[in-house]
Amino acid sequence: MVEIRAIEKEMKYSYLDYAMSVIVSRAIPDVRDGLKPVQRRILYSMYEMGLTFDKPYRKSARIVGEVMGKYHPHGDSAIYSSLARMAQDFSMRYPLIQGQGNFGSMDGDPPAAMRYTEARLQKISSDILGDIEYDTVDFVPTFDGTMKEPVFLPSKIPNVLINGTSGIAVGMATNMPPHNISEVVDGLIYLVRNRNATVDELIQYVKGPDFPTGGVILGKNGIMDAYRTGRGKLDLRARAEIKKNEIIFNEVPYEVNKAELLSKMAELSKEDVIEGVQNIKDESSKEGIRIVVKVQNGFNPEVTLKQIYEHTQMHVTYGIINLVIVDQVPKTMSLKEIMEEYLKHRENIVRRRTEFFLKKSKERQHILEALIIALDKIDLTIKIIRESKEVKDARDNLKKEFSIDDEQANAILDTKLQRLTSMQMQDLKNEMKELYEKIRDYEDILSKEERRWEIIVDELEEIKELYGDSRRTEITDSYVETTEEELIPHENNTIILTEDNRLNRMDMDTFTQQRRGGKGVFAGYPDSEIRQIISCDSHDRVYLFSSAGKVYQIKAYAIPKGERRSRGKLISTLLENVNDKIVFIMGEKVDHEKKYLLFVTEKGRVKKTEISEFVNIRSNGLIAIRLREGDLLRDVFTTTGSEKIALVSTDGRLALVDESEFRAMGRTASGVIGIRFAGDNRVACNAPISGNELLIITEKGLGKRVLMEEFSMRHRGAKGMKAVKITERTGKPVKIVSVNENDEMLVITKMGKTIRVVVSNIPVKGRYAQGVKIIDLDEGDYVVSISKVS
């Protein structure tokens, strides 16, 4: 029958079938045993041939023929190359096959012909294939339907992680790095005992890839990305040692061709891309890799080494793609997902193995029951057999006399006369007793999941004891990461925000202590008006809040340092995507007790949002608050979630509100009413309260301390109590801070005058007092910002 189909449709479905065949049946490993089909078939064939680690080697050609004839009809070269790779200690962290003969080298030399080499299974492979005879895995017909092969192997070894794999399918690829078996086992055991463990917790055990050729992984960011998402990139370089004028490499990066690497290094040295190389010697032997680069006199070996790393494959980028087959579907998985799937597989193996043992034990129990009955009435049993004409009659008569079935009757008939003794009777009873115990134990294992997990943990600990070894690959902080963070000292800085969107950073020591009422020092530029000042550590994050309600982030040390009269740097040159006017800045120290950001607007609205929503701030910023028309952001600070919040209006009234009255909201919310005003008043300042004293500073440079006991708590939306007497002499309140006597404050004016004062020099006054002069102001100048010195 001829079926007419559109060529486009036929091509589409035929190609999809081909693609899925390549993905599932050739190139991508199964998450359960970490093997591709050809690898699984090689191991299973060698297991069937009896080529275990304690048996003699067999010719590789014999093995390849067995695999090709029975299971894998794809050509001998593909099978032999897979077999050879599983025997190479520089390709697999834990080789699965023990080879004898030339199986290739790191110089790219191919293995000798299969007729010259011999192989057998490694000891570790016995734990990948172990328990396969106990009905633990599913079998399917082979390509010709004459035999059956396993869909996957029991794999007591977490092979998917410890050996990794690479493969290119159709439209997708996998590139999984090898790991240290001790670390993987520790991680699996932790996951068994902590099923809700996060990837970050598992990374404490599985620290990163562990390549068979050693090396140094620079930085953990790529590892973190791969473990969290299934994809990541890491920088891997060969470890080097400098002795006088020689650079000695005892390793090369994973999967790098050593001969090509040395050839490229020599070529680049001739072109003076790598300077100072006198000669390159490859002194590698059976004992290991040894490459010696001799540096000419007058050249710095460290500079030469840096150039080697920069221009050759002594430093490579390794891309991780954790793509595996899960239930016949390709899937990119995180570290935790891979470990969970493997543990699910092991739990299934333990359950099926126990079911097999239980079935066999019950079958044996069934037979023993009949044997004990027959031996207990041995004379009657012998009489029945002697009086029967044929075996069939004997079987029928035994069944009728003892109420047993065919299987039991056959067992009685098959029993030798020499076993019909009283000693044999006792042995049968002892065996029956042991069977009862085993059956109860098997049934208990099947009924209790925790028992199965205990068995899995015991088996994992046994695997670690048998095959565990020390890590070969070192993991360090990236040279890129350390350049910024580790070389910059921690120091107290002052960050100044100006009205024309500039930032300036200065050392805190720029401002020396002065008595209150002093003139202060100039800390601005003649054409720039100061908007705000904060103090922070050079390693703190500085949040920049814009007039549009967005937030941006920059490290304090990334703001260029200036002098007191420096104009500062335009924010748009520091952060390319900042086009809005920055109206408020905040320095945040890493304080794990602080859980929320509290936003306060001029119109008295308050919004509380979890800090966790601002962890990953993109280069183009994040929405921080939705400001209503005509409203402006007045202040932002961090809180624990259980603090007292002081809100002060421009007429000097203070509302003390418990933070619990403000529920947490999302980033795009506009908040709720925190304080109400009379007339055209607005929020002047606010702060979280933790001490027994408040410091209030006004625009005209007056300040005072007020005891907290003079204020009582209010609900949100209240107008508050009088906190400072506002007159033409004082101006509006500028800042309120919770202080103690030992604190120091930095006060800055619009025109850039700055003074640093000790709080103990400012007197304690009542709520209705105006305060005393903190800084002596010039005509037209006023205080714009205050910051507590860190």
Side-chain angles (χ1 to χ4, degrees):
M1 179 180 176
V2 177
E3 181 183 352
I4 299 175
R5 298 181 67 181
I7 186 69
E8 297 89 349
K9 187 175 182 181
E10 179 63 29
M11 289 293 291
K12 175 183 177 182
Y13 286 106
S14 295
Y15 188 77
L16 283 174
D17 290 343
Y18 163 72
M20 284 306 297
S21 174
V22 172
I23 292 167
V24 175
S25 302
R26 291 178 67 178
I28 310 300
D30 192 290
V31 71
R32 292 167 289 194
D33 57 15
L35 299 170
K36 300 177 186 179
V38 64
Q39 294 173 323
R40 187 179 302 115
R41 288 163 177 167
I42 291 169
L43 295 181
Y44 183 63
S45 290
M46 294 178 74
Y47 170 78
E48 281 194 314
M49 293 169 70
L51 299 182
T52 53
F53 68 95
D54 53 352
K55 297 295 192 302
Y57 290 93
R58 192 76 61 88
K59 284 287 185 183
S60 298
R62 172 74 174 83
I63 299 168
V64 170
E66 187 83 4
V67 176
M68 184 169 59
K70 289 183 176 180
Y71 306 112
H72 198 75
H74 291 288
D76 59 338
S77 61
I79 298 170
Y80 184 51
S81 62
S82 294
L83 185 152
R85 180 177 171 80
M86 288 193 286
Q88 293 170 344
D89 58 5
F90 54 86
S91 293
M92 300 197 85
R93 182 63 176 81
Y94 301 92
L96 304 180
I97 290 176
Q98 197 173 5
Q100 188 166 264
N102 175 17
F103 276 87
S105 72
M106 294 180 70
D107 289 323
D109 301 318
M114 67 181 82
R115 63 182 179 274
Y116 297 122
T117 62
E118 297 178 328
R120 64 184 179 189
L121 292 172
Q122 286 275 14
K123 188 175 189 303
I124 197 170
S125 295
S126 63
D127 284 304
I128 291 179
L129 289 150
D131 297 338
I132 196 170
E133 70 272 23
Y134 301 139
D135 193 26
T136 52
V137 299
D138 297 326
F139 281 76
V140 294
T142 55
F143 68 93
D144 59 0
T146 59
M147 303 180 69
K148 287 192 174 184
E149 62 176 317
V151 178
F152 53 89
L153 299 182
S155 194
K156 197 183 294 183
I157 304 290
N159 186 60
V160 68
L161 284 172
I162 66 168
N163 272 324
T165 190
S166 61
I168 300 173
V170 179
M172 58 183 66
T174 184
N175 200 38
M176 300 179 67
H179 290 79
N180 183 274
I181 194 168
S182 298
E183 293 180 1
V184 172
V185 166
D186 288 341
L188 288 167
I189 292 173
Y190 181 81
L191 185 57
V192 169
R193 292 170 176 164
N194 303 272
R195 304 314 293 270
N196 295 321
T198 64
V199 171
D200 288 350
E201 290 174 324
L202 294 174
I203 290 174
Q204 302 302 313
Y205 297 90
V206 186
K207 295 177 172 40
D210 188 23
F211 298 103
T213 53
V216 181
I217 296 173
L218 302 176
K220 300 179 181 179
N221 290 342
I223 298 172
M224 299 291 190
D225 290 341
Y227 285 175
R228 287 171 180 152
T229 67
R231 291 177 178 268
K233 290 183 179 180
L234 54 85
D235 288 305
L236 177 67
R237 64 168 46 168
R239 195 180 283 105
E241 181 184 6
I242 296 177
K243 290 185 177 179
K244 295 183 179 180
N245 64 335
E246 289 184 339
I247 303 170
I248 301 170
F249 296 94
N250 291 314
E251 56 197 20
V252 298
Y254 184 55
E255 294 184 331
V256 169
N257 185 307
K258 178 164 64 70
E260 292 180 2
L261 169 65
L262 297 180
S263 175
K264 184 69 173 177
M265 195 183 299
E267 179 185 335
L268 292 174
S269 67
K270 288 180 181 179
E271 297 172 358
D272 288 333
V273 175
I274 301 174
E275 298 176 340
V277 176
Q278 184 172 326
N279 59 54
I280 302 170
K281 291 183 181 179
D282 185 2
E283 300 178 359
S284 304
S285 63
K286 290 182 179 180
E287 281 68 44
I289 302 295
R290 181 179 167 85
I291 299 168
V292 180
V293 179
K294 191 169 184 179
V295 180
Q296 298 173 15
N297 292 331
F299 285 87
N300 187 336
E302 292 184 358
V303 173
T304 303
L305 176 60
K306 182 179 179 183
Q307 292 172 346
I308 290 172
Y309 282 142
E310 185 176 355
H311 298 289
T312 72
Q313 284 191 302
M314 281 296 186
H315 180 139
V316 297
T317 298
Y318 186 91
I320 299 174
I321 307 173
N322 291 334
L323 181 72
V324 290
I325 300 296
V326 183
D327 297 328
Q328 295 299 300
V329 176
K331 185 178 179 182
T332 302
M333 307 182 80
S334 69
L335 174 68
K336 182 180 179 182
E337 289 172 329
I338 292 173
M339 295 172 79
E340 285 177 333
E341 286 295 330
Y342 174 74
L343 288 174
K344 188 193 301 181
H345 160 68
R346 284 305 302 165
E347 195 272 340
N348 181 56
I349 295 297
V350 171
R351 180 179 50 79
R352 289 183 63 165
R353 182 181 66 195
T354 306
E355 288 173 348
F356 177 85
F357 290 152
L358 177 62
K359 178 184 175 184
K360 292 298 181 182
S361 296
K362 286 187 174 181
E363 289 174 354
R364 179 58 179 166
Q365 181 189 42
H366 188 61
I367 298 299
L368 288 178
E369 287 172 350
L371 292 177
I372 290 172
I373 292 172
L375 287 180
D376 192 45
K377 299 179 179 180
I378 185 64
D379 294 334
L380 178 59
T381 301
I382 293 172
K383 181 181 178 183
I384 291 171
I385 295 172
R386 289 182 63 184
E387 292 177 354
S388 299
K389 293 181 178 180
E390 296 179 355
V391 174
K392 181 180 180 300
D393 296 333
R395 182 187 303 114
D396 292 340
N397 292 333
L398 288 171
K399 286 167 60 180
K400 182 178 179 182
E401 180 64 34
F402 298 131
S403 299
I404 56 178
D405 57 25
D406 284 339
E407 191 176 7
Q408 290 174 311
N410 287 331
I412 294 172
L413 292 172
D414 291 339
T415 302
K416 295 181 179 179
L417 287 174
Q418 67 183 29
R419 299 184 64 187
L420 305 181
T421 64
S422 58
M423 182 64 74
Q424 183 64 31
M425 182 66 169
Q426 188 59 44
D427 288 344
L428 291 176
K429 288 181 178 180
N430 291 339
E431 185 182 353
M432 178 67 84
K433 184 179 178 181
E434 290 176 4
L435 277 176
Y436 278 131
E437 293 297 325
K438 287 182 178 179
I439 289 170
R440 278 201 299 269
D441 188 48
Y442 295 146
E443 288 175 340
D444 187 60
I445 291 170
L446 292 173
S447 64
K448 294 178 181 177
E449 187 178 354
E450 60 269 21
R451 283 289 312 278
R452 298 196 290 277
W453 289 120
E454 286 174 11
I455 292 170
I456 291 169
V457 167
D458 289 342
E459 291 178 347
L460 286 170
E461 288 176 340
E462 182 183 350
I463 290 298
K464 180 181 176 181
E465 186 176 343
L466 283 172
Y467 308 111
D469 57 3
S470 56
R471 166 173 280 279
R472 298 181 188 176
T473 302
E474 180 186 349
I475 301 174
T476 66
D477 292 329
S478 169
Y479 64 99
V480 174
E481 295 171 351
T482 55
T483 300
E484 297 274 355
E485 295 285 348
E486 294 192 358
L487 298 181
I488 295 172
H490 285 268
E491 55 189 15
N492 287 336
N493 288 161
T494 298
I495 310 291
I496 296 176
L497 170 69
T498 64
E499 289 288 355
D500 54 352
N501 243 30
R502 292 176 183 271
L503 289 176
N504 194 8
R505 179 167 67 101
M506 291 176 275
D507 289 330
M508 186 61 70
D509 294 340
T510 303
F511 309 99
T512 56
Q513 285 186 16
Q514 297 181 34
R515 298 182 64 181
R516 68 174 180 83
K519 279 283 187 182
V521 295
F522 191 73
Y525 193 78
D527 296 334
S528 296
E529 291 186 356
I530 306 298
R531 182 178 185 88
Q532 189 187 354
I533 183 172
I534 63 171
S535 62
C536 63
D537 185 87
S538 54
H539 284 248
D540 285 354
R541 289 189 294 266
V542 177
Y543 291 113
L544 314 175
F545 297 90
S546 77
S547 56
K550 294 187 74 173
V551 59
Y552 304 88
Q553 176 184 292
I554 188 173
K555 279 283 191 177
Y557 61 71
I559 303 170
K561 264 190 177 181
E563 302 299 329
R564 286 196 294 112
R565 293 184 178 271
S566 299
R567 190 173 187 180
K569 200 77 171 175
L570 277 171
I571 295 173
S572 58
T573 63
L574 299 174
L575 298 167
E576 294 181 3
N577 296 305
V578 179
N579 300 312
D580 305 327
K581 181 176 177 60
I582 300 301
V583 296
F584 188 83
I585 60 175
M586 181 189 76
E588 185 211 355
K589 296 185 183 299
V590 178
D591 185 346
H592 298 293
E593 291 185 1
K594 302 292 188 180
K595 298 179 180 178
Y596 300 96
L597 283 183
L598 207 70
F599 298 80
V600 183
T601 72
E602 279 195 351
K603 290 189 175 181
R605 299 192 73 83
V606 177
K607 190 192 80 164
K608 183 167 73 171
T609 303
E610 291 185 9
I611 287 179
S612 59
E613 295 203 32
F614 299 92
V615 172
N616 298 314
I617 297 179
R618 302 184 294 269
S619 59
N620 60 347
L622 285 178
I623 294 293
I625 183 172
R626 183 165 58 86
L627 294 170
R628 299 195 173 187
E629 188 175 351
D631 205 356
L632 288 174
L633 186 63
R634 169 53 64 184
D635 207 350
V636 186
F637 48 85
T638 57
T639 70
T640 61
S642 58
E643 299 188 33
K644 297 175 183 177
I645 308 299
L647 305 171
V648 181
S649 62
T650 50
D651 60 353
R653 301 185 71 86
L654 182 149
L656 193 61
V657 185
D658 193 288
E659 188 185 344
S660 62
E661 297 209 8
F662 303 106
R663 64 179 178 84
M665 299 180 176
R667 289 188 294 103
T668 58
S670 59
V672 295
I673 294 295
I675 183 173
R676 298 185 188 276
F677 315 105
D680 295 330
N681 285 294
R682 293 286 185 270
V683 168
C685 52
N686 36 261
I689 306 302
S690 57
N692 296 320
E693 292 182 359
L694 291 178
L695 173 65
I696 301 174
I697 308 286
T698 64
E699 278 183 323
K700 297 295 181 68
L702 273 67
K704 66 175 181 178
R705 285 187 286 158
V706 185
L707 296 176
M708 278 299 301
E709 62 190 34
E710 296 200 34
F711 299 96
S712 57
M713 298 294 293
R714 294 285 190 270
H715 291 294
R716 70 175 181 84
K719 289 185 178 180
M721 305 170 64
K722 199 70 173 176
V724 61
K725 184 178 181 180
I726 300 301
T727 65
E728 190 175 336
R729 175 173 174 264
T730 63
K732 294 178 292 188
V734 172
K735 189 73 174 179
I736 180 171
V737 189
S738 182
V739 295
N740 60 56
E741 288 190 348
N742 297 322
D743 287 337
E744 292 182 23
M745 304 302 298
L746 204 61
V747 182
I748 194 165
T749 72
K750 180 185 75 169
M751 294 181 180
K753 277 193 173 182
T754 308
I755 191 170
R756 182 175 174 182
V757 296
V758 180
V759 168
S760 59
N761 291 334
I762 303 172
V764 176
K765 299 280 187 179
R767 290 196 294 116
Y768 292 91
Q770 294 183 12
V772 297
K773 184 179 287 189
I774 304 298
I775 185 172
D776 187 14
L777 300 174
D778 295 331
E779 185 70 28
D781 201 3
Y782 55 86
V783 174
V784 293
S785 185
I786 300 154
S787 177
K788 186 183 291 188
V789 177
S790 301

PDB file of all heavy atoms in Angstrom, residues 13-23 26 170:
ATOM      1  N   TYR A  13       9.311  14.538  10.735  1.00  0.00           N
ATOM      2  CA  TYR A  13       9.170  13.434  11.693  1.00  0.00           C
ATOM      3  C   TYR A  13      10.335  12.451  11.611  1.00  0.00           C
ATOM      4  O   TYR A  13      10.757  11.885  12.622  1.00  0.00           O
ATOM      5  CB  TYR A  13       7.839  12.725  11.487  1.00  0.00           C
ATOM      6  CG  TYR A  13       6.676  13.535  11.993  1.00  0.00           C
ATOM      7  CD1 TYR A  13       5.816  14.177  11.112  1.00  0.00           C
ATOM      8  CD2 TYR A  13       6.445  13.694  13.363  1.00  0.00           C
ATOM      9  CE1 TYR A  13       4.762  14.954  11.578  1.00  0.00           C
ATOM     10  CE2 TYR A  13       5.410  14.459  13.836  1.00  0.00           C
ATOM     11  CZ  TYR A  13       4.555  15.092  12.934  1.00  0.00           C
ATOM     12  OH  TYR A  13       3.524  15.864  13.401  1.00  0.00           O
ATOM     13  N   SER A  14      10.873  12.257  10.436  1.00  0.00           N
ATOM     14  CA  SER A  14      12.033  11.365  10.306  1.00  0.00           C
ATOM     15  C   SER A  14      13.240  11.948  11.022  1.00  0.00           C
ATOM     16  O   SER A  14      13.992  11.238  11.690  1.00  0.00           O
ATOM     17  CB  SER A  14      12.359  11.135   8.826  1.00  0.00           C
ATOM     18  OG  SER A  14      11.305  10.452   8.187  1.00  0.00           O
ATOM     19  N   TYR A  15      13.417  13.259  10.876  1.00  0.00           N
ATOM     20  CA  TYR A  15      14.568  13.898  11.529  1.00  0.00           C
ATOM     21  C   TYR A  15      14.403  13.890  13.050  1.00  0.00           C
ATOM     22  O   TYR A  15      15.362  13.678  13.789  1.00  0.00           O
ATOM     23  CB  TYR A  15      14.739  15.334  11.027  1.00  0.00           C
ATOM     24  CG  TYR A  15      16.021  15.970  11.517  1.00  0.00           C
ATOM     25  CD1 TYR A  15      17.240  15.642  10.940  1.00  0.00           C
ATOM     26  CD2 TYR A  15      16.015  16.867  12.583  1.00  0.00           C
ATOM     27  CE1 TYR A  15      18.421  16.195  11.389  1.00  0.00           C
ATOM     28  CE2 TYR A  15      17.196  17.422  13.046  1.00  0.00           C
ATOM     29  CZ  TYR A  15      18.400  17.085  12.439  1.00  0.00           C
ATOM     30  OH  TYR A  15      19.560  17.631  12.897  1.00  0.00           O
ATOM     31  N   LEU A  16      13.180  14.121  13.526  1.00  0.00           N
ATOM     32  CA  LEU A  16      12.937  14.078  14.970  1.00  0.00           C
ATOM     33  C   LEU A  16      13.223  12.694  15.525  1.00  0.00           C
ATOM     34  O   LEU A  16      13.807  12.555  16.601  1.00  0.00           O
ATOM     35  CB  LEU A  16      11.501  14.493  15.275  1.00  0.00           C
ATOM     36  CG  LEU A  16      11.190  15.992  15.218  1.00  0.00           C
ATOM     37  CD1 LEU A  16       9.702  16.231  15.400  1.00  0.00           C
ATOM     38  CD2 LEU A  16      11.975  16.736  16.278  1.00  0.00           C
ATOM     39  N   ASP A  17      12.795  11.655  14.794  1.00  0.00           N
ATOM     40  CA  ASP A  17      13.074  10.282  15.234  1.00  0.00           C
ATOM     41  C   ASP A  17      14.575  10.023  15.294  1.00  0.00           C
ATOM     42  O   ASP A  17      15.088   9.419  16.245  1.00  0.00           O
ATOM     43  CB  ASP A  17      12.421   9.275  14.278  1.00  0.00           C
ATOM     44  CG  ASP A  17      10.903   9.278  14.400  1.00  0.00           C
ATOM     45  OD1 ASP A  17      10.395   9.811  15.422  1.00  0.00           O
ATOM     46  OD2 ASP A  17      10.228   8.787  13.482  1.00  0.00           O
ATOM     47  N   TYR A  18      15.273  10.508  14.264  1.00  0.00           N
ATOM     48  CA  TYR A  18      16.726  10.334  14.249  1.00  0.00           C
ATOM     49  C   TYR A  18      17.383  11.087  15.399  1.00  0.00           C
ATOM     50  O   TYR A  18      18.265  10.557  16.089  1.00  0.00           O
ATOM     51  CB  TYR A  18      17.278  10.835  12.905  1.00  0.00           C
ATOM     52  CG  TYR A  18      18.766  11.096  12.919  1.00  0.00           C
ATOM     53  CD1 TYR A  18      19.680  10.050  12.948  1.00  0.00           C
ATOM     54  CD2 TYR A  18      19.249  12.405  12.910  1.00  0.00           C
ATOM     55  CE1 TYR A  18      21.045  10.295  12.970  1.00  0.00           C
ATOM     56  CE2 TYR A  18      20.610  12.656  12.935  1.00  0.00           C
ATOM     57  CZ  TYR A  18      21.500  11.597  12.962  1.00  0.00           C
ATOM     58  OH  TYR A  18      22.850  11.850  12.996  1.00  0.00           O
ATOM     59  N   ALA A  19      16.938  12.323  15.638  1.00  0.00           N
ATOM     60  CA  ALA A  19      17.522  13.146  16.700  1.00  0.00           C
ATOM     61  C   ALA A  19      17.329  12.493  18.060  1.00  0.00           C
ATOM     62  O   ALA A  19      18.271  12.403  18.867  1.00  0.00           O
ATOM     63  CB  ALA A  19      16.902  14.544  16.681  1.00  0.00           C
ATOM     64  N   MET A  20      16.111  12.021  18.347  1.00  0.00           N
ATOM     65  CA  MET A  20      15.848  11.393  19.637  1.00  0.00           C
ATOM     66  C   MET A  20      16.630  10.100  19.795  1.00  0.00           C
ATOM     67  O   MET A  20      17.074   9.754  20.893  1.00  0.00           O
ATOM     68  CB  MET A  20      14.349  11.123  19.802  1.00  0.00           C
ATOM     69  CG  MET A  20      13.535  12.362  20.124  1.00  0.00           C
ATOM     70  SD  MET A  20      14.156  13.264  21.569  1.00  0.00           S
ATOM     71  CE  MET A  20      13.926  12.051  22.857  1.00  0.00           C
ATOM     72  N   SER A  21      16.829   9.389  18.690  1.00  0.00           N
ATOM     73  CA  SER A  21      17.622   8.161  18.755  1.00  0.00           C
ATOM     74  C   SER A  21      19.063   8.461  19.143  1.00  0.00           C
ATOM     75  O   SER A  21      19.657   7.768  19.962  1.00  0.00           O
ATOM     76  CB  SER A  21      17.576   7.445  17.401  1.00  0.00           C
ATOM     77  OG  SER A  21      18.434   6.329  17.396  1.00  0.00           O
ATOM     78  N   VAL A  22      19.628   9.511  18.545  1.00  0.00           N
ATOM     79  CA  VAL A  22      21.007   9.890  18.868  1.00  0.00           C
ATOM     80  C   VAL A  22      21.099  10.364  20.314  1.00  0.00           C
ATOM     81  O   VAL A  22      22.036  10.022  21.043  1.00  0.00           O
ATOM     82  CB  VAL A  22      21.501  10.990  17.900  1.00  0.00           C
ATOM     83  CG1 VAL A  22      22.865  11.523  18.348  1.00  0.00           C
ATOM     84  CG2 VAL A  22      21.590  10.452  16.494  1.00  0.00           C
ATOM     85  N   ILE A  23      20.125  11.157  20.744  1.00  0.00           N
ATOM     86  CA  ILE A  23      20.147  11.712  22.101  1.00  0.00           C
ATOM     87  C   ILE A  23      20.043  10.604  23.148  1.00  0.00           C
ATOM     88  O   ILE A  23      20.847  10.523  24.084  1.00  0.00           O
ATOM     89  CB  ILE A  23      18.999  12.729  22.279  1.00  0.00           C
ATOM     90  CG1 ILE A  23      19.263  13.981  21.418  1.00  0.00           C
ATOM     91  CG2 ILE A  23      18.843  13.125  23.745  1.00  0.00           C
ATOM     92  CD1 ILE A  23      18.059  14.883  21.282  1.00  0.00           C
ATOM     93  N   ARG A  26      22.655   7.096  22.119  1.00  0.00           N
ATOM     94  CA  ARG A  26      24.070   7.143  21.748  1.00  0.00           C
ATOM     95  C   ARG A  26      24.898   8.140  22.554  1.00  0.00           C
ATOM     96  O   ARG A  26      25.926   7.782  23.119  1.00  0.00           O
ATOM     97  CB  ARG A  26      24.208   7.458  20.248  1.00  0.00           C
ATOM     98  CG  ARG A  26      23.728   6.326  19.363  1.00  0.00           C
ATOM     99  CD  ARG A  26      23.825   6.676  17.897  1.00  0.00           C
ATOM    100  NE  ARG A  26      25.204   6.813  17.435  1.00  0.00           N
ATOM    101  CZ  ARG A  26      25.540   7.081  16.175  1.00  0.00           C
ATOM    102  NH1 ARG A  26      24.606   7.246  15.264  1.00  0.00           N
ATOM    103  NH2 ARG A  26      26.808   7.189  15.844  1.00  0.00           N
ATOM    104  N   VAL A 170      22.101  15.676  18.759  1.00  0.00           N
ATOM    105  CA  VAL A 170      21.512  16.526  17.726  1.00  0.00           C
ATOM    106  C   VAL A 170      20.810  17.686  18.418  1.00  0.00           C
ATOM    107  O   VAL A 170      19.814  17.502  19.106  1.00  0.00           O
ATOM    108  CB  VAL A 170      20.518  15.740  16.855  1.00  0.00           C
ATOM    109  CG1 VAL A 170      19.898  16.656  15.799  1.00  0.00           C
ATOM    110  CG2 VAL A 170      21.220  14.561  16.197  1.00  0.00           C
TER     111      VAL A 170
END
